[in-house]
Amino acid sequence: MIKLNENFNKLKKNYLFAEIARRTEEYKAKNPGADVIKLGIGDVTLPLCKSVLDAMHEAVNEMGNAATFKGYGPYEGYEFLRKAISESYLRYGIDINPDEIYVSDGAKSDTANILEIFEADGNVLIPNPTYPVYVDSSILSGRNISYIDANETNNFLPLPDYSVKPGIIYLCSPNNPTGAVYDKNQLKKWVDYALENRAIILFDAAYEAFIEDPELPHSIFEIEGSKDCAIEICSFSKGAGFTGVRCGYVTIPNNLMIDGKSVGGMWLRRQSIKFNGTSYITQRGAAAALSEEGMEQARHNIDYYKGNAKMLSNTLKEMNIWHIGGENSPYIWLKCPNAMNSWEFFDILLNNANIVGTPGSGFGTNGEGFFRLSSFGSREDVEKAIQRIKSLQF
Ligand code: PLP
């Protein structure tokens, strides 16, 4: 008799964004005409840059011509994009071959799907709070999860605890939701720990384009030893505004082997079974985003968001509200004033300032008492929000 996957029953009810929407709609219904500003969104808002658009238009034209039409592409992505990604690693002094890169439709699916190539009953180590996909996909696949505490004491950058013996370690830097960024020494500690435990680090670098401090690592592969224990997952979503276009990639060093088997080879096999490639048009757009011109244009958008983040961060500083992030990340993670819990602060912001943010408790128990603001909104909204926040009495 057929049964459902019982692991679904183990998922915590994910009510974060639904509850945000419910409270916001309820407020708007009671206060018609209220100008509610959304500083909670994790989605980009600025349009694609010109180089990307030009490349995609040209690719559309190619698809309309029998001589240049493309059907199914390679599972691992077109050579032109894998070469462009490989060259983009050189900016950080990292040597990655095009054949170590696997193009996909984005980092969300990759961070979840990559678990399939590892033993099903392995232990997964995840920082708390976290991007929820790591937790939910580990639960769905029946894995045991150990959490490592990210908190105010460690600036939300936890370091390894050698008493825990994971097989898989999820790390995200710059972090969603906290905006915290690991430095090279801290990442070296994680690499050493992974090597000692013969574990694999799944390093989510989706926000690397927001790093401006030249000392901070953009990639796990800037760390010695990482090519023997790490897989990197990256995305065009946040850096190039591709959330609605969909393109990401996984980087697996060729020398990463488990029991004599190539991990990259396993991933390619998995992809060839379940994935039929990212569209040619998208991949042309992604390659254009990595051209010098494309990077320059994308930089304007990133600077715009980061300008928003700096203004929000300066306001919180003036108000003596503890926070991190916002400098090398689009997110600001603040401690709710007056020991309020995350949802209490949400209600105060909504009711007294008509601002919607994201309660930290939605990202894990250690997020309770914290709150995420995003800089992906418009400058005009951020300026208005700042005036309103300043008028609040805490
Ligand atoms: N990883 C992190 C940490 C994210 O915050 C997000 C999206 O918000 C993703 C991955 C998903 O990226 P993509 O749009 O490439 O699926």
Side-chain angles (χ1 to χ4, degrees):
M1 190 178 74
I2 185 70
K3 284 193 174 166
L4 294 171
N5 177 352
E6 288 190 352
N7 293 326
F8 273 84
N9 301 330
K10 298 183 194 151
L11 292 171
K12 284 221 185 82
K13 199 157 179 260
N14 187 353
Y15 72 106
L16 177 65
F17 290 100
E19 182 62 13
I20 291 173
R22 192 191 67 74
R23 293 191 191 206
T24 309
E25 287 317 308
E26 191 178 280
Y27 179 82
K28 280 182 172 170
K30 281 191 196 146
N31 302 276
D35 174 24
V36 176
I37 297 175
K38 291 196 172 148
L39 290 187
I41 41 166
D43 198 353
V44 294
T45 52
L46 294 173
L48 296 171
C49 68
K50 185 172 182 309
S51 307
V52 168
L53 285 181
D54 288 347
M56 289 178 86
H57 282 145
E58 202 178 311
V60 169
N61 289 338
E62 284 180 67
M63 295 297 273
N65 181 331
T68 49
F69 170 77
K70 302 273 186 300
Y72 292 122
Y75 299 118
E76 68 274 30
Y78 283 99
E79 173 81 14
F80 65 80
L81 178 55
R82 290 185 294 120
K83 261 179 86 176
I85 294 168
S86 146
E87 279 160 19
S88 78
Y89 270 110
L90 291 175
R91 288 174 297 167
Y92 312 127
I94 304 166
D95 186 14
I96 293 285
N97 279 324
D99 66 3
E100 295 175 300
I101 292 160
Y102 305 84
V103 175
S104 71
D105 62 353
K108 183 175 187 172
S109 27
D110 285 338
T111 49
N113 293 337
I114 195 88
L115 290 174
E116 280 185 26
I117 64 172
F118 300 106
E119 61 180 342
D121 54 357
N123 286 317
V124 182
L125 182 64
I126 303 178
N128 172 6
T130 181
Y131 176 53
V133 174
Y134 315 149
V135 173
D136 290 344
S137 46
S138 298
I139 292 175
L140 273 189
S141 59
R143 289 175 159 83
N144 302 315
I145 303 176
S146 306
Y147 291 98
I148 183 147
D149 283 335
N151 51 37
E152 205 181 334
T153 313
N154 57 30
N155 274 320
F156 287 88
L157 292 170
L159 291 174
D161 169 358
Y162 276 74
S163 67
V164 181
K165 308 272 175 218
I168 287 168
I169 303 160
Y170 276 105
L171 294 179
C172 176
S173 177
N175 191 272
N176 178 15
T178 69
V181 189
Y182 279 114
D183 67 24
K184 288 184 185 163
N185 288 332
Q186 292 166 325
L187 281 187
K188 179 77 174 93
K189 293 197 167 106
W190 278 110
V191 166
D192 290 344
Y193 170 71
L195 289 172
E196 186 164 317
N197 282 289
R198 301 180 71 192
I200 294 282
I201 296 174
L202 300 178
F203 189 77
D204 186 340
Y207 295 93
E208 65 81 21
F210 286 81
I211 294 177
E212 64 181 39
D213 181 340
E215 296 300 316
L216 292 173
H218 289 249
S219 162
I220 189 75
F221 299 122
E222 289 179 61
I223 311 302
E224 202 196 323
S226 59
K227 285 191 174 178
D228 293 315
C229 65
I231 291 174
E232 184 153 280
I233 296 165
C234 202
S235 171
F236 290 87
S237 281
K238 307 300 161 100
F242 269 47
T243 53
V245 179
R246 312 303 308 141
C247 194
Y249 56 93
V250 175
T251 304
I252 308 180
N254 282 338
N255 58 317
L256 189 61
M257 311 283 276
I258 297 177
D259 296 335
K261 273 199 162 167
S262 150
V263 176
M266 292 275 292
W267 179 240
L268 182 57
R269 181 91 176 98
R270 187 269 170 210
Q271 290 295 77
S272 69
I273 294 168
K274 296 198 179 180
F275 180 65
N276 244 348
T278 306
S279 85
Y280 174 70
I281 300 163
T282 296
Q283 293 193 55
R284 277 291 177 203
L290 292 176
S291 68
E292 240 170 73
E293 211 189 5
M295 297 260 231
E296 171 65 28
Q297 292 167 2
R299 175 68 29 213
H300 287 293
N301 291 2
I302 292 170
D303 287 347
Y304 177 91
Y305 297 134
K306 285 185 33 187
N308 289 346
K310 282 208 176 89
M311 289 165 62
L312 286 165
S313 171
N314 287 341
T315 306
L316 297 174
K317 266 184 212 143
E318 281 168 30
M319 297 175 76
N320 281 324
I321 295 178
W322 186 96
H323 65 285
I324 52 172
E327 275 172 31
N328 296 288
S329 144
Y331 298 123
I332 290 171
W333 182 249
L334 63 93
K335 188 173 177 181
C336 304
N338 302 338
M340 270 183 265
N341 74 35
S342 301
W343 280 108
E344 281 167 349
F345 187 63
F346 176 91
D347 287 335
I348 296 265
L349 267 194
L350 176 59
N351 292 311
N352 301 352
N354 293 356
I355 295 170
V356 176
T358 313
S361 53
F363 299 99
T365 48
N366 280 5
E368 182 57 281
F370 291 84
F371 202 78
R372 191 190 77 176
L373 292 177
S374 145
S375 63
F376 285 128
S378 73
R379 179 62 50 88
E380 196 193 351
D381 275 355
V382 168
E383 281 169 352
K384 263 196 280 180
I386 284 174
Q387 291 317 315
R388 296 184 194 172
I389 291 172
K390 278 185 176 165
S391 71
L392 293 175
Q393 304 291 327
F394 293 118

